[in-house]
Amino acid sequence: MLVGAGLLASQSAYAWDGVVEKQIFEMEEYTTQGGDTIEDLKVGWEAYGTLNEARDNVILITHFFSGTSHAAGRYQEDGDNNGYWDSIIGPGKPLDTDRYYIISSDTLVNLNAHDPNVTTTGPASINPATGEPWGMEFPMVTIRDFVEVQRELLESQDIDQLHAVMGASMGALQAIEWASAYPDKVERLISVIGAGVTDPWLLTKLGTWAAPIRLDANWNEGDYYDDHPPLDGLKEALKLVTIDANHPEWFNETFDRSWAEQNADPARNIDARYALEKTLDELAAARAEQSDANHLLYLVQANQAFVAGHGDSLEQGLAAIDAPTFMLYSEKDLIFTPEGVRRTAELIEADGTQVDIQPLEGNRGHLDGVVSIDQASEQLREFLEQD
Amino acid sequence: MLVGAGLLASQSAYAWDGVVEKQIFEMEEYTTQGGDTIEDLKVGWEAYGTLNEARDNVILITHFFSGTSHAAGRYQEDGDNNGYWDSIIGPGKPLDTDRYYIISSDTLVNLNAHDPNVTTTGPASINPATGEPWGMEFPMVTIRDFVEVQRELLESQDIDQLHAVMGASMGALQAIEWASAYPDKVERLISVIGAGVTDPWLLTKLGTWAAPIRLDANWNEGDYYDDHPPLDGLKEALKLVTIDANHPEWFNETFDRSWAEQNADPARNIDARYALEKTLDELAAARAEQSDANHLLYLVQANQAFVAGHGDSLEQGLAAIDAPTFMLYSEKDLIFTPEGVRRTAELIEADGTQVDIQPLEGNRGHLDGVVSIDQASEQLREFLEQD
């Protein structure tokens, strides 16, 4: 009884209450995979739970294309938890903050460069050499660069081993790259709605996200930081991201054919539109205010370039993975197709590495990896607990 | 023997050899469903086979969004047949030109306004009242207006009955509208990769096709006929049409991750791209030269507005159809989803109208309705022959 009470008290003392302290990791200098130098690199990060003395209870969370490090919790004491994976991260949850130290960082060239809760380094950042924003002079970066900056962040906390690395979509690419590049550091890999390579289909889709920005005259070859940013193009790009990340079923079950304005029939007025178009435009416009157009272009190209291991062969890149792997995906995913996910599983499994693969249900398709992740709660818990 | 030889000789005399004579139908005045007047309306048309004396062997073909009336044959004696449905239209084929008089017309606001083989009336046409191109002053038109102009064309040839009406995609919308608006004239309905209503998903998709044009500064609110047309925006729009009309499988089985330029790695150069992006861009640029941006905007809105019967209720619009109906679709269609096609079939069938529905196989999805139509040859032949 006393022992039990003591344990409970101890757990209670460590219990994470959902308030997140956003922190900043800085490097004087970082050299990209392409050999370019970025001085004064900064990325934001946050953590949930407590690092144990052995420093072996770490789960790294890597974020998706339009995401940030805010995977769980709230920034204000009196706010609501609004992390994207709140349903699985917290005390007693599968990613148990009483047990694990869960850390998440903003990537380089993070899309939400103008969100006050995001810290990132990219084209919108000041180039110390010139005192001006980098713009299109910013060095090219890859998913592997995102991983390398995360590795430096972890090393700054004397963390050398990951109990697990887990990410959705672009986050899955980072998680896969981690497991491929550092098989000795990664003990478990959880890939959600992602795959080992950006296939020709997704290459094409990503290209369509970049196009509206380049069409906007305000983009001005990326040189807009002293003037009007290309918000119209950025808005259209973000709208395409939202549309492509959802399945037709979601649109048909969520929206109807209502007009945006009661007296403006889009069949009778070339400038009239439908309510759902207005809704999607407004959502995209709000996100555009916090986002940076050049960052989106860099993100597109980093994602297009992804092949696990960044070497000559996808097979080798995935064969390098030794960590037991859990893959969650959607049969309705129109970004990372189920065929691509299955092929990735086969290639990781080819040399005997354990791979479990499980579909998520829902009408979102790709986005079910974010909004419906709690369906896999028990399997995630078991996978994280297995030796 | 003699009778047989005579029949063969007779058929041979009538056999259509694939050379198409493009013709123009003109109306002094047409009043749209919205009550606006279009003077000097012109649309191109072509026909394959011979109208019989009873004038009861007519099959009307209605074209898709980016299509023209050129469903079969060749314009030049020494050219190759290049109609989009050559595989099913011709002597002895399911749409047998020895038997049927098959007629096809360019729609109003046809996308390919600058194709010398296309005649259409739309924003790029001269408004007789001003002597200038209509631009955005062109009246709004609907799928029903396309049907009404076709009805006038047929009446000009004393044709009152259709043995069948058949179209793919936007052509299916016209065919469905024909059968709903004129149940006494339409004896058979063949709807290919289409449905009874543009659902919220497709509304959204169509809106994304219009957006790049409006983003292009050269669009200039539709007033560009004296200046540079918005070719960059139009190109991007046409690229989206191509992408959306195909299934991910086609991209992954057709393309790879090659770079567009051997020495320009898109992972290392923000202006470099992949070979498949270059291919899609070049295809779209070539099509943009023949197309008109404002016509695309009008087509988008006509398609968005579609509900069979153009009345208050989809159920009523489809219940009005009495013609035996044959529906071809693809389970991989990302424009008209299989759920929407099945729902359309159910609503047509609800009052006892015969509906046959059959999937097309292939890796194109939506476009299998054009490129893989010959899979349904026998069923089309039987359906056209049934009393």
Side-chain angles (χ1 to χ4, degrees):
Chain A
M1 269 299 273
L2 264 175
V3 173
L7 273 173
L8 281 171
S10 162
Q11 283 180 346
S12 174
Y14 281 99
W16 178 62
D17 66 359
V19 177
V20 172
E21 189 187 352
K22 194 87 191 195
Q23 302 189 68
I24 295 174
F25 170 65
E26 303 190 45
M27 293 176 70
E28 281 185 18
E29 189 174 293
Y30 170 76
T31 302
T32 68
Q33 296 292 300
D36 295 310
T37 300
I38 302 171
E39 288 178 16
D40 293 356
L41 182 150
K42 294 185 187 68
V43 292
W45 64 278
E46 49 192 77
Y48 330 112
T50 307
L51 183 59
N52 65 11
E53 282 188 23
R55 295 175 132 64
D56 65 359
N57 69 332
V58 181
I59 299 176
L60 175 69
I61 304 285
T62 47
H63 70 67
F64 47 95
F65 187 94
S66 59
T68 74
S69 57
H70 195 47
R74 61 189 185 278
Y75 292 125
Q76 310 296 334
E77 189 77 50
D78 57 355
D80 291 328
N81 283 7
N82 59 358
Y84 63 85
W85 269 347
D86 274 318
S87 65
I88 53 164
I89 302 173
K93 293 183 181 174
L95 278 72
D96 190 343
T97 49
D98 291 339
R99 185 164 181 170
Y100 303 114
Y101 175 66
I102 299 159
I103 183 167
S104 176
S105 75
D106 298 323
T107 63
L108 292 175
V109 301
N110 184 289
L111 182 59
N112 309 279
H114 308 296
D115 178 337
N117 286 314
V118 168
T119 300
T120 186
T121 303
S125 308
I126 299 297
N127 175 359
T130 64
E132 300 286 328
W134 281 95
M136 304 306 272
E137 298 300 312
F138 191 75
M140 296 295 285
V141 288
T142 64
I143 297 293
R144 178 61 175 270
D145 286 306
F146 299 180
V147 166
E148 291 301 315
V149 171
Q150 288 155 358
R151 190 180 54 73
E152 298 276 0
L153 163 64
L154 294 171
E155 282 186 12
S156 77
Q157 298 181 31
D158 282 329
I159 295 167
D160 189 52
Q161 287 293 117
L162 291 174
H163 183 81
V165 56
M166 173 175 182
S169 197
M170 184 181 85
L173 307 189
Q174 296 167 70
I176 288 170
E177 186 65 11
W178 256 104
S180 174
Y182 297 105
D184 294 340
K185 293 180 190 293
V186 175
E187 295 165 14
R188 289 164 195 81
L189 163 62
I190 306 174
S191 167
V192 183
I193 52 170
V197 63
T198 296
D199 63 19
W201 161 250
L202 183 52
L203 268 188
T204 307
K205 276 285 172 186
L206 285 160
T208 67
W209 300 352
I213 290 169
R214 291 174 180 266
L215 266 178
D216 186 330
N218 284 336
W219 178 59
N220 192 30
E221 304 290 324
D223 182 9
Y224 54 77
Y225 294 104
D226 289 338
D227 210 331
H228 295 293
L231 285 178
D232 289 340
L234 179 54
K235 186 187 79 174
E236 199 53 35
L238 294 171
K239 195 167 69 177
L240 291 177
V241 175
T242 297
I243 293 169
D244 289 341
N246 283 286
H247 189 268
E249 256 184 48
W250 177 73
F251 289 85
N252 290 334
E253 291 173 4
T254 305
F255 298 108
D256 60 23
R257 291 181 41 85
S258 303
W259 307 341
E261 311 293 338
Q262 210 180 344
N263 296 316
D265 179 356
R268 298 274 170 255
N269 178 343
I270 194 71
D271 293 316
R273 57 192 173 152
Y274 293 87
L276 90 172
E277 294 183 283
K278 189 179 174 211
T279 299
L280 292 169
D281 279 339
E282 287 173 352
L283 179 68
R287 292 179 64 185
E289 292 289 339
Q290 306 229 25
S291 303
D292 184 81
N294 287 338
H295 282 225
L296 191 143
L297 299 182
Y298 274 74
L299 272 179
V300 159
Q301 236 148 316
N303 279 273
Q304 286 184 316
F306 184 70
V307 182
H310 281 92
D312 292 332
S313 138
L314 172 64
E315 286 75 5
Q316 284 173 26
L318 293 177
I321 296 175
D322 292 332
T325 299
F326 185 35
M327 299 185 78
L328 290 164
Y329 76 104
S330 162
E331 288 289 344
K332 295 176 190 158
D333 196 328
L334 292 170
I335 297 279
F336 287 101
T337 65
E339 292 72 23
V341 176
R342 281 188 279 268
R343 169 98 176 120
T344 301
E346 285 164 15
L347 291 175
I348 296 176
E349 223 167 19
D351 61 0
T353 304
Q354 174 202 326
V355 180
D356 297 320
I357 178 165
Q358 184 185 318
L360 293 164
E361 303 298 326
N363 69 2
R364 309 294 292 260
H366 188 65
L367 263 190
D368 280 313
V370 178
V371 303
S372 309
I373 189 78
D374 60 318
Q375 286 173 21
S377 285
E378 282 320 301
Q379 294 82 353
L380 285 168
R381 189 188 302 276
E382 283 168 26
F383 181 76
L384 288 169
E385 286 176 1
Q386 82 173 24
D387 289 327
Chain B
M1 268 299 274
L2 265 174
V3 173
L7 273 173
L8 281 170
S10 163
Q11 283 180 346
S12 173
Y14 281 100
W16 178 63
D17 65 359
V19 177
V20 172
E21 189 188 353
K22 194 86 193 195
Q23 302 190 66
I24 294 174
F25 170 65
E26 303 190 44
M27 293 177 70
E28 281 186 18
E29 188 175 293
Y30 171 75
T31 302
T32 68
Q33 295 293 299
D36 295 309
T37 300
I38 302 171
E39 288 179 16
D40 292 356
L41 182 149
K42 294 185 186 66
V43 293
W45 64 277
E46 50 191 75
Y48 331 112
T50 307
L51 183 60
N52 65 12
E53 282 189 25
R55 294 177 134 61
D56 65 359
N57 67 333
V58 181
I59 300 177
L60 174 68
I61 304 286
T62 48
H63 70 68
F64 47 97
F65 188 94
S66 58
T68 75
S69 57
H70 195 46
R74 61 187 185 278
Y75 293 123
Q76 310 296 334
E77 189 78 50
D78 56 355
D80 290 330
N81 282 7
N82 60 357
Y84 63 85
W85 268 346
D86 274 318
S87 65
I88 54 166
I89 302 173
K93 293 183 181 175
L95 277 73
D96 190 343
T97 48
D98 291 338
R99 184 164 182 171
Y100 303 114
Y101 176 67
I102 299 160
I103 182 167
S104 176
S105 75
D106 299 322
T107 63
L108 292 175
V109 302
N110 184 288
L111 182 58
N112 310 278
H114 308 295
D115 178 337
N117 287 314
V118 168
T119 301
T120 185
T121 304
S125 308
I126 299 297
N127 176 359
T130 65
E132 301 286 329
W134 280 95
M136 304 306 271
E137 299 299 312
F138 192 75
M140 295 296 286
V141 289
T142 65
I143 296 293
R144 179 60 176 272
D145 286 305
F146 298 180
V147 165
E148 290 302 314
V149 172
Q150 288 155 1
R151 190 180 53 74
E152 298 276 359
L153 163 64
L154 294 171
E155 282 185 10
S156 76
Q157 298 181 31
D158 282 331
I159 295 167
D160 189 52
Q161 288 292 116
L162 291 174
H163 183 81
V165 56
M166 174 175 183
S169 196
M170 184 181 85
L173 307 189
Q174 296 167 69
I176 288 170
E177 186 66 13
W178 256 104
S180 174
Y182 297 105
D184 294 342
K185 295 181 189 292
V186 174
E187 294 164 14
R188 290 164 194 81
L189 164 61
I190 305 175
S191 167
V192 183
I193 53 168
V197 62
T198 295
D199 63 19
W201 161 249
L202 184 52
L203 268 188
T204 307
K205 277 286 173 186
L206 285 159
T208 67
W209 299 353
I213 290 169
R214 291 175 181 263
L215 267 179
D216 186 329
N218 284 337
W219 178 59
N220 192 29
E221 304 291 322
D223 182 9
Y224 54 76
Y225 294 104
D226 290 337
D227 210 331
H228 295 294
L231 284 179
D232 288 340
L234 179 55
K235 186 187 79 174
E236 199 53 37
L238 294 170
K239 194 166 71 176
L240 291 177
V241 175
T242 298
I243 293 170
D244 288 341
N246 282 286
H247 189 268
E249 255 184 49
W250 178 74
F251 289 86
N252 290 333
E253 291 173 4
T254 305
F255 299 108
D256 60 23
R257 292 180 41 85
S258 303
W259 308 340
E261 310 294 337
Q262 209 180 346
N263 297 315
D265 179 356
R268 300 272 170 256
N269 179 341
I270 194 71
D271 293 316
R273 58 191 173 153
Y274 293 87
L276 90 173
E277 294 184 282
K278 189 178 173 207
T279 299
L280 292 169
D281 279 339
E282 286 172 353
L283 180 68
R287 293 178 63 185
E289 293 289 340
Q290 306 228 25
S291 302
D292 184 81
N294 287 338
H295 280 225
L296 190 143
L297 298 182
Y298 274 74
L299 273 179
V300 159
Q301 236 148 318
N303 279 272
Q304 286 183 318
F306 183 69
V307 182
H310 281 92
D312 292 332
S313 139
L314 172 64
E315 287 74 6
Q316 284 173 25
L318 293 177
I321 296 174
D322 292 332
T325 299
F326 185 34
M327 299 185 77
L328 290 164
Y329 75 104
S330 163
E331 287 289 343
K332 295 176 190 158
D333 196 327
L334 292 170
I335 297 279
F336 286 101
T337 66
E339 293 72 24
V341 176
R342 281 189 278 267
R343 169 97 176 122
T344 300
E346 284 164 17
L347 291 175
I348 296 175
E349 222 166 20
D351 62 359
T353 304
Q354 174 202 328
V355 180
D356 297 320
I357 177 165
Q358 182 184 321
L360 293 164
E361 304 297 326
N363 69 2
R364 308 295 292 259
H366 188 65
L367 265 189
D368 279 313
V370 179
V371 302
S372 309
I373 188 77
D374 59 319
Q375 286 173 22
S377 284
E378 283 320 301
Q379 294 83 352
L380 285 168
R381 188 188 303 275
E382 282 169 26
F383 181 77
L384 288 170
E385 286 176 1
Q386 83 172 21
D387 288 327

